[in-house]
Amino acid sequence: MKKDLAEKTLESYNDVFADIVNGLLFGGQEIVKETDLVDADSASQYKAEGKIREQRRDVAKFWMKGKIRLCLYGFENQTKKDRLMPARIISYDGASYRDQIGKKNVLASGKLSPVVTLVLYFGMSKWRNRNLYSCLEIPPELKDYISNYRINVFEIAWLTPDEVSRFKSDFKIVADYFVQLRMNKNYIPSRDTIRHVDEVMGMMSALTGSRLYENVQQEFDMETRRKERDAGGVTMAGLFEQWRNEGVEEGIKLGTSQGISQGINETARKMFLMNVCPVEQISKVTGLSVEEIRRLAEEKPTLASR
């Protein structure tokens, strides 16, 4: 539950939500404005085995023009491939259309407003199942009578650097991480300013399964946040630099060069055990060899755990 909430919180901000839609659907053009978005109820109900059950989209918003609803946009976050996703999306979209039936504006016009669901997939392997046929066993004689419902899957790690550059919000930082990891097997923290710091770190922690981002977030004290903002804004690079330097600072408190070395060693050890990035990248960050880092990971902590 906590993981699901962390994934959704950043996307629930109108500036981020609009940016994702514009970046993925409209080539970065500002077609959807954040001021034209209104929160939609993400819950709907269905009956199964004689019981009423609830299903929830990850995030959903109405795109409005004044009081006229133009569209309902919904997001579904996936870190793993789901072969049955087309059937799940049909359920969400069908419930959204059913909710409109019988309303005055629909009865008057005879028209429904469209529903568009975006599946945001953060895995490193390619997503294959993009239509209903892919999760059905269809007798040949029935195929002409079954609609092949297509879903909109966006493989975030497989975006090009040019496509990532179309994002203007904090989602650019998230997308950049997965693209770098897929292309280069390591991550060089971005120096783009972060608007929603805690929400970005929470989403990164949830999507990667690593506690490093949570630890960086917790250890990024308010004084440093103020200094970062005064210097032009909080950045991922600044967050990581502070977290890395803390190991050195702890060593300095011990008052010896050996203490400084211990601080660096403990930083490398924590990064390796948290599996935040390849060991080769940790080597570049700390100056230690790959062999040294692997050896340190097998030892007990040399400094008090935070």
Side-chain angles (χ1 to χ4, degrees), residues 185-214:
K185 308 303 182 193
N186 62 25
Y187 174 57
I188 299 174
S190 167
R191 292 197 175 275
D192 289 336
T193 301
I194 305 175
R195 180 178 180 184
H196 308 291
V197 178
D198 292 330
E199 291 78 6
V200 168
M201 302 306 284
M203 186 172 188
M204 291 295 295
S205 180
L207 291 176
T208 63
S210 170
R211 292 189 59 193
L212 174 64
Y213 295 94
E214 183 179 342

Side-chain angles (χ1 to χ4, degrees), residues 60-285:
K61 290 183 184 287
F62 295 123
W63 180 27
M64 309 292 291
K65 185 176 183 180
K67 294 184 178 181
I68 300 175
R69 183 193 301 181
L70 298 177
C71 180
L72 169 72
Y73 286 112
F75 291 170
E76 295 300 318
N77 296 310
Q78 290 291 125
T79 55
K80 297 180 180 180
K81 289 177 286 189
D82 184 348
R83 294 190 62 183
L84 300 181
M85 185 56 71
R88 298 184 195 279
I89 299 303
I90 288 177
S91 180
Y92 294 140
D93 292 355
S96 297
Y97 284 121
R98 183 66 185 85
D99 183 61
Q100 298 180 55
I101 296 174
K103 293 189 174 180
K104 290 182 180 180
N105 63 316
V106 173
L107 292 173
S109 66
K111 298 288 186 180
L112 301 171
S113 58
V115 177
V116 178
T117 300
L118 285 66
V119 178
L120 308 181
Y121 170 57
F122 297 91
M124 292 295 158
S125 58
K126 299 290 284 185
W127 184 290
R128 303 297 180 190
N129 301 74
R130 296 172 180 267
N131 54 54
L132 187 59
Y133 281 5
S134 66
C135 53
L136 295 179
E137 289 188 10
I138 307 173
E141 59 270 25
L142 288 181
K143 193 168 185 178
D144 290 342
Y145 305 100
I146 298 173
S147 298
N148 191 18
Y149 198 85
R150 179 180 60 84
I151 62 174
N152 306 302
V153 179
F154 295 91
E155 301 163 306
I156 304 303
W158 291 83
L159 297 176
T160 66
D162 180 61
E163 288 170 329
V164 172
S165 71
R166 296 172 186 172
F167 298 114
K168 306 298 188 295
S169 72
D170 289 344
F171 189 76
K172 179 180 180 181
I173 295 165
V174 177
D176 176 60
Y177 168 84
F178 286 95
V179 170
Q180 281 198 51
L181 208 61
R182 194 261 307 172
M183 293 180 65
N184 308 319
K185 308 303 182 193
N186 62 25
Y187 174 57
I188 299 174
S190 167
R191 292 197 175 275
D192 289 336
T193 301
I194 305 175
R195 180 178 180 184
H196 308 291
V197 178
D198 292 330
E199 291 78 6
V200 168
M201 302 306 284
M203 186 172 188
M204 291 295 295
S205 180
L207 291 176
T208 63
S210 170
R211 292 189 59 193
L212 174 64
Y213 295 94
E214 183 179 342
N215 289 353
V216 171
Q217 176 188 9
Q218 292 172 351
E219 296 179 11
F220 189 50
D221 58 82
M222 293 306 297
E223 177 64 16
T224 305
R225 289 184 191 226
R226 184 187 64 77
K227 290 179 180 178
E228 287 276 350
R229 290 192 178 105
D230 290 346
V234 177
T235 68
M236 190 68 82
L239 287 165
F240 272 78
E241 284 167 6
Q242 183 206 348
W243 188 80
R244 173 183 177 274
N245 290 339
E246 282 190 350
V248 177
E249 290 169 4
E250 287 194 43
I252 290 173
K253 290 177 184 177
L254 296 178
T256 65
S257 59
Q258 181 182 3
I260 296 173
S261 176
Q262 288 178 345
I264 295 173
N265 291 351
E266 187 59 18
T267 297
R269 180 180 180 279
K270 287 195 293 184
M271 291 179 74
F272 182 82
L273 292 178
M274 289 175 187
N275 193 31
V276 65
C277 59
V279 66
E280 291 80 9
Q281 178 68 5
I282 301 173
S283 176
K284 291 179 181 178
V285 170

Side-chain angles (χ1 to χ4, degrees), residues 14-23 25-26 28-38 61-64 70-71 73 75:
N14 281 4
D15 66 307
V16 177
F17 192 99
D19 187 47
I20 293 172
V21 173
N22 289 328
L25 299 189
F26 307 124
Q29 298 180 69
E30 193 182 359
I31 303 298
V32 177
K33 294 179 172 59
E34 61 177 291
T35 53
D36 293 337
L37 292 173
V38 177
K61 290 183 184 287
F62 295 123
W63 180 27
M64 309 292 291
L70 298 177
C71 180
Y73 286 112
F75 291 170

